[in-house]
Amino acid sequence: MPILEVKELRKTFQSVVAVDSISFSVEAGEIFTIIGPNGAGKTTTLEMIEGLQTPDNGDIQLKGLNWKSDSKRIKQMIGVQPQTSALFDLLTVYESLDVFAGFYERSRPIEEILDFINLGDHRKKFVKTLSGGQRQRLAIGIALVNDPDILFLDEPTTGLDPQARRNLWDIILKLKGLGKTTILTTHYMEEAEKLSDRVCIVDQGKIIALDTPQNLIQLLAKEREIHLTFPSSMKEAQNMVQVVKDYPGVTKVHSEQNVLLFSTTSSEESLYQLFKYTTENQIEVRQIGIKDLSLEDVFIAFTGKEWRD
Ligand SMILES: Nc1ncnc2c1ncn2[C@@H]1O[C@H](COP(=O)(O)OP(=O)(O)OP(=O)(O)O)[C@@H](O)[C@H]1O
């Protein structure tokens, strides 16, 4: 049984359809990422699952329980990362965790959480003196106080510098090591690609693609762009255009100075023939490149729009 099941979730605000019939399920232990541009409906979706907003329509099951009849049990089972603006500036790191732990019947030892979020040395620091990354780590610690099975992290790395973002990635991956299920939202494609078991791309309240990052990229990977750089003369690159254009699967080919560029739907076969030809004819190749696709390419392919961070 999935740990979370969402069916045909819908939420409107006056004339705005924020979430438009979204359905998905998440297995225990997954890092499941909802990614989409500003206003796509990520926070609204998350808040409905967290019980903070009531859907107009649809069904949410957390370990088979629903908010209407089992809210007390669900609250013990989920961990929600608070907005860092909701932290109390005049409490210390330790006190912040202690206050939140008091809200629950069962809590994880605070020392263990401090260690987990790498704030052990800062336990006596006031929240107002923490860096952005440290605040976000504290917010994850707060989500962990009741030792939940499922954690909800809403854009935990927005606004952080690259190093602080990477430190947070390490913590999110450690959550997986503890066996937790994490539902994450982000604006950052690279983050979704690095962390997620599965990625759900949303735009204008609808799911436009849902799969593992690798499968999403694979969907588009049928055609690859390959480029070959020859030592200096333009002659080889120009001559090779004539050779490569007849290879099976080649859809486009041209040369730019000493570089040959082509697209092919059967990259292995094309490369095999190409290297056979250059070896037999003793043509030196200086560099070869195959363009890797990213989740960003997937988004553009599905929506026809440029990705906007
Ligand atoms: N309380 C509200 N009242 C009116 N409109 C709302 C409200 N909450 C969200 N919306 C609208 O619903 C749509 C989805 O918003 P939501 O915050 O869920 O998107 P998001 O993907 O989380 O965006 P962001 O990345 O900017 O946080 C937006 O058009 C937003 O303006």
Side-chain angles (χ1 to χ4, degrees), residues 46-127:
L46 220 58
E47 289 190 350
M48 287 191 282
I49 301 169
E50 294 163 357
L52 300 174
Q53 294 205 43
T54 314
D56 298 342
N57 219 348
D59 186 45
I60 297 163
Q61 302 264 332
L62 286 141
K63 278 190 159 177
L65 307 176
N66 67 65
W67 280 106
K68 278 186 205 109
S69 46
D70 310 293
S71 66
K72 209 167 162 210
R73 282 174 71 193
I74 294 179
K75 278 183 194 152
Q76 193 66 43
M77 211 169 78
I78 67 169
V80 176
Q81 177 203 19
Q83 296 285 326
T84 51
S85 57
L87 301 176
F88 303 109
D89 275 354
L90 296 175
L91 289 185
T92 64
V93 167
Y94 187 96
E95 287 164 350
S96 303
L97 292 166
D98 198 34
V99 163
F100 279 90
F103 297 150
Y104 295 97
E105 285 166 14
R106 180 190 65 182
S107 66
R108 211 181 166 96
I110 289 176
E111 289 302 325
E112 227 178 272
I113 297 175
L114 283 169
D115 241 20
F116 188 85
I117 56 177
N118 297 331
L119 286 181
D121 294 342
H122 301 288
R123 76 188 66 210
K124 290 187 180 150
K125 271 198 178 169
F126 286 109
V127 167

Coordinates of all heavy atoms in Angstrom, one line a residue, residues 46-127:
L46 N 0.7 20.8 -1.4 CA 1.3 20.3 -0.1 C 0.4 20.7 1.1 O 0.2 19.8 1.9 CB 2.7 21.0 0.0 CG 3.8 20.2 0.5 CD1 4.0 19.0 -0.4 CD2 5.1 21.0 0.6
E47 N -0.1 21.9 1.1 CA -0.9 22.3 2.3 C -2.2 21.5 2.4 O -2.7 21.3 3.5 CB -1.1 23.8 2.3 CG 0.2 24.5 2.5 CD 0.0 26.0 2.8 OE1 -1.1 26.6 2.5 OE2 1.0 26.6 3.2
M48 N -2.7 21.1 1.3 CA -3.9 20.2 1.4 C -3.6 18.9 2.0 O -4.3 18.3 2.8 CB -4.6 20.1 0.0 CG -5.3 21.3 -0.4 SD -6.3 21.1 -1.9 CE -5.1 21.1 -3.2
I49 N -2.4 18.3 1.5 CA -2.0 17.0 2.1 C -1.7 17.1 3.6 O -2.0 16.2 4.4 CB -0.8 16.5 1.3 CG1 -1.2 16.3 -0.2 CG2 -0.4 15.1 1.8 CD1 0.0 16.0 -1.1
E50 N -1.1 18.3 3.9 CA -0.7 18.5 5.3 C -1.9 18.8 6.2 O -1.7 19.0 7.4 CB 0.3 19.7 5.5 CG 1.6 19.4 4.8 CD 2.4 20.7 4.5 OE1 1.9 21.8 4.8 OE2 3.5 20.6 4.0
G51 N -3.1 18.9 5.6 CA -4.3 19.2 6.4 C -4.4 20.7 6.7 O -5.3 21.1 7.6
L52 N -3.6 21.6 6.1 CA -3.7 23.0 6.4 C -4.7 23.7 5.5 O -5.2 24.8 5.8 CB -2.3 23.7 6.2 CG -1.2 23.2 7.1 CD1 0.2 23.8 6.7 CD2 -1.5 23.5 8.5
Q53 N -5.1 23.1 4.4 CA -6.1 23.7 3.5 C -7.1 22.6 3.2 O -6.7 21.4 3.1 CB -5.5 24.2 2.2 CG -4.6 25.4 2.4 CD -4.6 26.3 1.1 OE1 -5.6 26.5 0.5 NE2 -3.3 26.7 0.8
T54 N -8.3 22.9 3.0 CA -9.3 21.9 2.7 C -9.5 21.9 1.1 O -9.8 22.9 0.6 CB -10.7 22.2 3.3 OG1 -10.4 22.6 4.7 CG2 -11.6 21.1 3.3
P55 N -9.4 20.7 0.5 CA -9.6 20.7 -0.9 C -11.1 20.9 -1.3 O -12.0 20.6 -0.5 CB -9.2 19.2 -1.3 CG -8.8 18.5 -0.1 CD -9.1 19.4 1.1
D56 N -11.3 21.5 -2.5 CA -12.7 21.6 -2.9 C -13.2 20.2 -3.3 O -14.4 19.9 -3.3 CB -12.8 22.5 -4.2 CG -12.3 23.9 -4.0 OD1 -12.3 24.3 -2.8 OD2 -12.0 24.6 -4.9
N57 N -12.3 19.4 -3.7 CA -12.6 18.1 -4.3 C -11.4 17.2 -4.1 O -10.3 17.6 -4.0 CB -12.9 18.3 -5.8 CG -14.0 17.4 -6.2 OD1 -14.5 16.6 -5.4 ND2 -14.5 17.7 -7.4
G58 N -11.7 15.9 -4.1 CA -10.6 14.9 -4.2 C -10.4 14.2 -2.8 O -11.1 14.5 -1.8
D59 N -9.5 13.3 -2.8 CA -9.3 12.4 -1.7 C -7.8 12.3 -1.3 O -7.0 12.2 -2.2 CB -9.8 11.0 -2.0 CG -9.8 10.1 -0.8 OD1 -10.2 10.5 0.3 OD2 -9.4 8.9 -1.0
I60 N -7.5 12.3 0.0 CA -6.1 12.2 0.4 C -6.0 11.1 1.5 O -6.8 11.1 2.5 CB -5.6 13.5 1.1 CG1 -5.6 14.6 0.1 CG2 -4.2 13.3 1.7 CD1 -5.6 16.0 0.7
Q61 N -5.2 10.1 1.3 CA -5.0 9.0 2.2 C -3.5 9.0 2.7 O -2.6 8.9 1.8 CB -5.3 7.6 1.6 CG -6.7 7.5 1.0 CD -7.7 6.9 2.0 OE1 -7.3 6.1 2.8 NE2 -9.0 7.2 1.9
L62 N -3.3 9.1 4.0 CA -2.0 8.9 4.5 C -1.9 7.6 5.3 O -2.6 7.5 6.3 CB -1.6 10.1 5.4 CG -1.4 11.4 4.7 CD1 -2.0 12.6 5.4 CD2 0.1 11.7 4.5
K63 N -1.2 6.7 4.8 CA -1.2 5.3 5.4 C -2.6 4.8 5.6 O -3.0 4.2 6.6 CB -0.5 5.3 6.8 CG 1.0 5.2 6.7 CD 1.6 5.0 8.1 CE 2.9 4.4 8.1 NZ 3.4 4.3 9.5
G64 N -3.4 5.1 4.6 CA -4.8 4.6 4.6 C -5.7 5.5 5.5 O -6.9 5.2 5.6
L65 N -5.2 6.5 6.1 CA -6.0 7.4 7.0 C -6.4 8.7 6.3 O -5.7 9.1 5.4 CB -5.3 7.7 8.3 CG -4.7 6.6 9.1 CD1 -3.8 7.1 10.3 CD2 -5.8 5.6 9.6
N66 N -7.5 9.3 6.7 CA -7.8 10.6 6.1 C -8.1 11.6 7.2 O -8.4 11.3 8.3 CB -9.0 10.4 5.1 CG -10.3 10.1 5.8 OD1 -10.8 10.9 6.6 ND2 -10.8 8.9 5.5
W67 N -8.0 12.9 6.7 CA -8.0 14.0 7.7 C -9.4 14.1 8.4 O -9.4 14.5 9.6 CB -7.7 15.3 7.0 CG -6.3 15.5 6.8 CD1 -5.6 15.4 5.6 CD2 -5.3 15.9 7.8 NE1 -4.2 15.7 5.9 CE2 -4.0 15.9 7.2 CE3 -5.4 16.1 9.2 CZ2 -2.9 16.3 7.9 CZ3 -4.2 16.4 9.9 CH2 -3.0 16.5 9.3
K68 N -10.5 13.7 7.7 CA -11.8 13.9 8.3 C -11.9 13.0 9.6 O -12.4 13.5 10.6 CB -12.9 13.5 7.3 CG -13.1 14.7 6.4 CD -14.3 14.4 5.4 CE -14.2 15.2 4.2 NZ -13.9 14.4 3.0
S69 N -11.5 11.7 9.5 CA -11.7 10.9 10.6 C -10.5 10.6 11.5 O -10.7 10.1 12.6 CB -12.4 9.6 10.2 OG -11.7 9.1 9.1
D70 N -9.3 10.8 11.0 CA -8.1 10.4 11.7 C -7.1 11.5 11.9 O -5.9 11.2 11.9 CB -7.4 9.2 11.0 CG -8.4 8.1 10.6 OD1 -8.9 7.5 11.5 OD2 -8.6 8.0 9.4
S71 N -7.5 12.7 12.1 CA -6.6 13.9 12.1 C -5.5 13.7 13.2 O -4.4 14.0 13.0 CB -7.3 15.2 12.2 OG -7.9 15.3 13.4
K72 N -5.9 13.2 14.4 CA -5.0 13.1 15.5 C -3.8 12.1 15.2 O -2.6 12.4 15.4 CB -5.7 12.6 16.8 CG -5.1 13.2 18.0 CD -5.9 13.0 19.2 CE -5.0 13.1 20.4 NZ -5.5 12.3 21.6
R73 N -4.2 11.0 14.6 CA -3.2 10.0 14.2 C -2.3 10.5 13.1 O -1.1 10.3 13.1 CB -3.8 8.7 13.8 CG -4.3 7.9 15.1 CD -5.0 6.7 14.7 NE -4.2 5.7 14.1 CZ -4.7 4.6 13.5 NH1 -6.0 4.4 13.4 NH2 -3.9 3.7 13.0
I74 N -2.9 11.2 12.2 CA -2.1 11.8 11.0 C -1.1 12.8 11.6 O 0.1 12.8 11.1 CB -3.0 12.4 9.9 CG1 -3.8 11.3 9.3 CG2 -2.1 13.0 8.9 CD1 -4.8 11.8 8.2
K75 N -1.5 13.7 12.5 CA -0.6 14.7 13.0 C 0.7 14.1 13.6 O 1.7 14.6 13.6 CB -1.3 15.6 14.0 CG -2.1 16.7 13.3 CD -2.8 17.6 14.3 CE -3.8 18.4 13.6 NZ -4.9 18.8 14.6
Q76 N 0.5 12.9 14.3 CA 1.6 12.3 14.9 C 2.6 11.6 13.9 O 3.7 11.4 14.1 CB 1.1 11.2 15.9 CG 2.1 10.6 16.9 CD 2.6 11.7 17.9 OE1 1.9 12.4 18.5 NE2 3.9 11.7 18.1
M77 N 2.0 11.4 12.7 CA 2.7 10.6 11.7 C 3.5 11.5 10.7 O 4.3 11.0 10.0 CB 1.6 9.9 10.9 CG 1.9 8.6 10.3 SD 0.3 8.0 9.9 CE 0.0 8.8 8.3
I78 N 3.1 12.8 10.6 CA 3.7 13.6 9.6 C 4.6 14.7 10.2 O 4.3 15.1 11.4 CB 2.7 14.3 8.6 CG1 1.8 15.3 9.4 CG2 1.8 13.3 7.9 CD1 1.0 16.2 8.4
G79 N 5.6 15.2 9.5 CA 6.4 16.3 10.0 C 6.4 17.4 8.9 O 6.6 17.1 7.7
V80 N 6.0 18.6 9.4 CA 5.9 19.7 8.4 C 7.0 20.7 8.8 O 7.1 21.2 9.9 CB 4.5 20.4 8.5 CG1 4.5 21.6 7.6 CG2 3.5 19.4 8.1
Q81 N 7.8 21.1 7.8 CA 8.9 22.1 8.0 C 8.2 23.4 8.1 O 7.6 23.9 7.1 CB 9.9 22.0 6.9 CG 11.0 23.0 6.9 CD 11.6 23.2 5.5 OE1 11.0 22.9 4.5 NE2 12.8 23.8 5.5
P82 N 8.4 24.2 9.2 CA 7.7 25.5 9.2 C 8.5 26.5 8.3 O 9.7 26.3 8.1 CB 7.9 25.9 10.7 CG 9.0 25.1 11.2 CD 9.1 23.8 10.4
Q83 N 7.8 27.5 7.9 CA 8.5 28.6 7.2 C 9.6 29.2 8.2 O 9.2 29.3 9.4 CB 7.5 29.8 6.9 CG 6.4 29.4 5.9 CD 6.9 29.3 4.5 OE1 7.8 30.0 4.1 NE2 6.4 28.3 3.8
T84 N 10.8 29.5 7.7 CA 11.8 30.0 8.7 C 11.3 31.3 9.3 O 11.7 31.6 10.5 CB 13.1 30.2 8.0 OG1 12.9 31.0 6.9 CG2 13.8 28.9 7.6
S85 N 10.4 32.0 8.7 CA 9.9 33.3 9.3 C 9.0 33.0 10.5 O 8.7 33.9 11.3 CB 9.1 34.1 8.3 OG 8.0 33.2 7.8
A86 N 8.6 31.7 10.7 CA 7.7 31.3 11.8 C 8.6 30.9 13.0 O 8.1 30.6 14.1 CB 6.8 30.2 11.4
L87 N 9.9 30.9 12.9 CA 10.8 30.6 14.0 C 10.8 31.8 15.0 O 10.7 32.9 14.6 CB 12.2 30.2 13.5 CG 12.3 29.0 12.6 CD1 13.7 28.9 12.1 CD2 11.8 27.8 13.2
F88 N 11.1 31.4 16.2 CA 11.1 32.5 17.2 C 12.6 33.0 17.4 O 13.4 32.3 17.9 CB 10.6 32.0 18.6 CG 9.2 31.5 18.5 CD1 8.9 30.2 18.6 CD2 8.1 32.4 18.3 CE1 7.7 29.7 18.5 CE2 6.8 31.9 18.2 CZ 6.6 30.5 18.3
D89 N 12.8 34.3 17.0 CA 14.1 34.9 17.0 C 14.8 34.8 18.4 O 16.0 34.7 18.5 CB 14.1 36.3 16.6 CG 14.1 36.4 15.1 OD1 14.3 35.4 14.4 OD2 14.0 37.6 14.5
L90 N 14.0 34.9 19.5 CA 14.6 35.1 20.8 C 14.7 33.7 21.5 O 15.0 33.7 22.7 CB 13.8 36.1 21.6 CG 13.9 37.5 21.0 CD1 13.1 38.5 21.8 CD2 15.4 38.0 21.0
L91 N 14.4 32.6 20.8 CA 14.7 31.3 21.4 C 16.0 30.8 20.9 O 16.5 31.2 19.8 CB 13.6 30.3 21.0 CG 12.2 30.5 21.6 CD1 11.3 29.3 21.2 CD2 12.3 30.6 23.2
T92 N 16.7 29.9 21.7 CA 17.9 29.3 21.2 C 17.5 28.1 20.3 O 16.3 27.7 20.2 CB 18.8 28.8 22.3 OG1 18.0 27.7 22.9 CG2 19.2 29.8 23.3
V93 N 18.5 27.6 19.6 CA 18.2 26.4 18.7 C 17.6 25.3 19.6 O 16.6 24.7 19.2 CB 19.6 26.0 18.1 CG1 19.4 24.6 17.4 CG2 20.0 27.0 17.1
Y94 N 18.2 25.0 20.7 CA 17.7 23.9 21.6 C 16.3 24.2 22.0 O 15.4 23.3 21.9 CB 18.7 23.7 22.8 CG 18.3 22.5 23.6 CD1 19.0 21.3 23.4 CD2 17.3 22.6 24.6 CE1 18.6 20.2 24.2 CE2 16.9 21.4 25.3 CZ 17.6 20.3 25.1 OH 17.3 19.1 25.8
E95 N 16.1 25.4 22.5 CA 14.7 25.7 23.0 C 13.7 25.6 21.9 O 12.6 25.2 22.2 CB 14.7 27.2 23.6 CG 15.5 27.3 24.9 CD 15.8 28.8 25.2 OE1 15.7 29.7 24.4 OE2 16.3 29.0 26.4
S96 N 14.1 26.0 20.7 CA 13.1 25.9 19.6 C 12.6 24.5 19.4 O 11.4 24.2 19.2 CB 13.7 26.4 18.3 OG 14.2 27.7 18.4
L97 N 13.6 23.6 19.4 CA 13.2 22.2 19.2 C 12.4 21.7 20.4 O 11.4 20.9 20.2 CB 14.5 21.3 19.0 CG 15.3 21.5 17.8 CD1 16.7 20.9 17.8 CD2 14.5 21.0 16.6
D98 N 12.8 22.1 21.6 CA 12.1 21.7 22.8 C 10.6 22.1 22.8 O 9.7 21.4 23.2 CB 12.9 22.3 24.0 CG 12.5 21.5 25.3 OD1 12.3 20.3 25.2 OD2 12.5 22.2 26.4
V99 N 10.4 23.4 22.4 CA 9.0 23.9 22.4 C 8.2 23.1 21.4 O 7.1 22.7 21.8 CB 9.0 25.4 21.9 CG1 7.7 25.8 21.5 CG2 9.6 26.3 23.0
F100 N 8.7 22.8 20.2 CA 7.9 22.0 19.3 C 7.7 20.6 19.8 O 6.6 20.0 19.6 CB 8.5 22.1 17.9 CG 8.2 23.3 17.1 CD1 9.0 24.5 17.2 CD2 7.0 23.4 16.4 CE1 8.6 25.7 16.6 CE2 6.7 24.6 15.7 CZ 7.5 25.7 15.8
A101 N 8.7 20.0 20.4 CA 8.6 18.6 20.9 C 7.4 18.5 21.9 O 6.8 17.5 22.0 CB 9.9 18.2 21.5
G102 N 7.2 19.6 22.7 CA 6.2 19.7 23.7 C 4.8 19.5 23.1 O 3.8 19.2 23.8
F103 N 4.6 19.8 21.8 CA 3.3 19.6 21.2 C 2.9 18.2 20.9 O 1.8 17.9 20.5 CB 3.2 20.4 19.8 CG 3.5 21.9 19.9 CD1 4.1 22.6 18.9 CD2 3.1 22.6 21.0 CE1 4.3 23.9 19.0 CE2 3.3 23.9 21.1 CZ 3.9 24.6 20.1
Y104 N 3.8 17.3 21.0 CA 3.5 15.9 20.7 C 3.6 14.9 21.8 O 4.3 15.1 22.8 CB 4.6 15.4 19.6 CG 4.4 16.2 18.3 CD1 5.3 17.3 18.1 CD2 3.5 15.9 17.4 CE1 5.1 18.0 16.9 CE2 3.3 16.6 16.2 CZ 4.1 17.7 16.0 OH 4.0 18.4 14.8
E105 N 2.8 13.8 21.7 CA 2.9 12.8 22.7 C 4.2 12.1 22.7 O 4.7 11.7 23.8 CB 1.8 11.7 22.4 CG 0.4 12.1 22.6 CD -0.6 11.2 22.0 OE1 -0.2 10.1 21.6 OE2 -1.8 11.6 21.9
R106 N 4.8 11.9 21.5 CA 6.0 11.1 21.4 C 7.0 12.0 20.7 O 6.6 12.7 19.7 CB 5.7 9.9 20.5 CG 6.8 9.0 20.2 CD 6.4 7.9 19.2 NE 6.2 8.6 17.9 CZ 5.8 8.0 16.8 NH1 5.5 6.7 16.8 NH2 5.6 8.6 15.7
S107 N 8.2 12.1 21.2 CA 9.2 12.9 20.4 C 10.6 12.2 20.4 O 10.9 11.4 21.2 CB 9.3 14.3 21.0 OG 9.8 14.3 22.3
R108 N 11.3 12.6 19.4 CA 12.7 12.1 19.2 C 13.6 12.8 20.1 O 13.5 14.0 20.3 CB 13.1 12.3 17.7 CG 14.0 11.3 17.1 CD 14.3 11.6 15.7 NE 15.5 10.7 15.3 CZ 15.3 9.6 14.7 NH1 14.1 9.2 14.3 NH2 16.4 8.9 14.4
P109 N 14.6 12.2 20.7 CA 15.5 12.9 21.6 C 16.1 14.2 20.9 O 16.6 14.0 19.8 CB 16.6 11.9 22.0 CG 16.0 10.6 21.7 CD 15.0 10.8 20.6
I110 N 16.1 15.3 21.6 CA 16.6 16.5 20.9 C 18.1 16.5 20.6 O 18.5 17.0 19.5 CB 16.2 17.7 21.8 CG1 14.7 17.9 21.8 CG2 16.9 19.0 21.4 CD1 14.1 18.9 22.7
E111 N 18.9 15.8 21.4 CA 20.3 15.7 21.1 C 20.5 15.0 19.8 O 21.4 15.4 19.0 CB 21.0 14.9 22.2 CG 21.2 15.6 23.5 CD 21.9 16.9 23.4 OE1 22.9 17.0 22.6 OE2 21.6 17.9 24.1
E112 N 19.7 14.0 19.6 CA 19.8 13.2 18.3 C 19.5 14.1 17.1 O 20.1 14.1 16.1 CB 18.8 12.1 18.4 CG 19.3 10.7 18.0 CD 18.2 9.7 18.2 OE1 18.1 9.2 19.3 OE2 17.4 9.5 17.2
I113 N 18.5 14.9 17.3 CA 18.0 15.8 16.2 C 19.1 16.9 15.9 O 19.5 17.1 14.8 CB 16.7 16.5 16.5 CG1 15.6 15.5 16.6 CG2 16.3 17.5 15.4 CD1 14.3 16.0 17.0
L114 N 19.7 17.4 17.0 CA 20.8 18.4 16.8 C 21.9 17.9 16.0 O 22.5 18.5 15.1 CB 21.3 18.9 18.2 CG 20.4 19.9 18.9 CD1 20.8 20.0 20.4 CD2 20.4 21.2 18.2
D115 N 22.3 16.6 16.3 CA 23.3 15.9 15.6 C 23.0 15.8 14.2 O 23.8 16.0 13.3 CB 23.4 14.5 16.2 CG 24.8 14.3 16.8 OD1 25.5 15.3 17.1 OD2 25.2 13.1 17.0
F116 N 21.8 15.3 13.9 CA 21.3 15.0 12.6 C 21.3 16.2 11.7 O 21.6 16.1 10.5 CB 19.8 14.4 12.7 CG 19.4 13.9 11.4 CD1 19.7 12.6 11.0 CD2 18.6 14.7 10.5 CE1 19.2 12.1 9.8 CE2 18.2 14.2 9.3 CZ 18.5 12.9 8.9
I117 N 20.9 17.4 12.2 CA 20.9 18.6 11.4 C 22.2 19.4 11.5 O 22.3 20.6 11.1 CB 19.7 19.5 11.8 CG1 19.7 19.8 13.3 CG2 18.4 18.8 11.3 CD1 18.5 20.8 13.7
N118 N 23.2 18.8 12.1 CA 24.5 19.5 12.2 C 24.4 20.8 12.9 O 25.1 21.8 12.5 CB 25.2 19.6 10.9 CG 25.5 18.3 10.2 OD1 25.7 17.3 10.9 ND2 25.5 18.3 8.9
L119 N 23.7 20.9 14.0 CA 23.6 22.2 14.7 C 24.0 21.9 16.2 O 23.7 22.8 17.0 CB 22.2 22.8 14.7 CG 21.8 23.4 13.3 CD1 20.4 24.0 13.4 CD2 22.8 24.5 12.9
G120 N 24.6 20.8 16.5 CA 25.1 20.5 17.8 C 25.9 21.6 18.5 O 25.7 22.0 19.6
D121 N 26.8 22.2 17.7 CA 27.7 23.2 18.2 C 27.0 24.5 18.4 O 27.6 25.5 18.9 CB 28.9 23.4 17.3 CG 29.8 22.2 17.3 OD1 29.7 21.3 18.2 OD2 30.6 22.0 16.3
H122 N 25.8 24.6 17.8 CA 25.1 25.9 17.8 C 23.9 25.9 18.7 O 23.0 26.8 18.6 CB 24.7 26.3 16.4 CG 25.8 26.4 15.4 ND1 26.7 27.4 15.5 CD2 26.2 25.6 14.4 CE1 27.6 27.3 14.5 NE2 27.3 26.2 13.9
R123 N 23.8 24.9 19.6 CA 22.5 24.7 20.3 C 22.1 25.9 21.2 O 21.0 26.1 21.4 CB 22.6 23.4 21.2 CG 23.5 23.6 22.4 CD 23.7 22.3 23.1 NE 24.5 21.4 22.3 CZ 24.5 20.1 22.3 NH1 23.6 19.5 23.1 NH2 25.3 19.4 21.6
K124 N 23.2 26.6 21.6 CA 22.8 27.8 22.5 C 22.7 29.1 21.8 O 22.5 30.1 22.4 CB 23.9 27.9 23.6 CG 23.9 26.7 24.6 CD 24.9 27.0 25.7 CE 24.8 25.8 26.7 NZ 26.1 25.6 27.3
K125 N 22.8 29.0 20.5 CA 22.7 30.3 19.7 C 21.3 30.7 19.6 O 20.4 29.9 19.4 CB 23.3 30.1 18.3 CG 24.7 30.3 18.2 CD 25.1 30.5 16.7 CE 26.5 30.8 16.5 NZ 26.9 30.7 15.1
F126 N 21.0 32.0 19.6 CA 19.7 32.5 19.3 C 19.4 32.4 17.9 O 20.2 32.5 17.0 CB 19.6 34.0 19.8 CG 19.5 34.1 21.3 CD1 20.6 34.7 21.9 CD2 18.4 33.7 22.0 CE1 20.6 34.8 23.3 CE2 18.4 33.8 23.4 CZ 19.5 34.4 24.0
V127 N 18.1 32.1 17.6 CA 17.7 31.9 16.2 C 18.0 33.1 15.3 O 18.4 33.0 14.2 CB 16.1 31.6 16.2 CG1 15.6 31.7 14.8 CG2 15.9 30.2 16.8

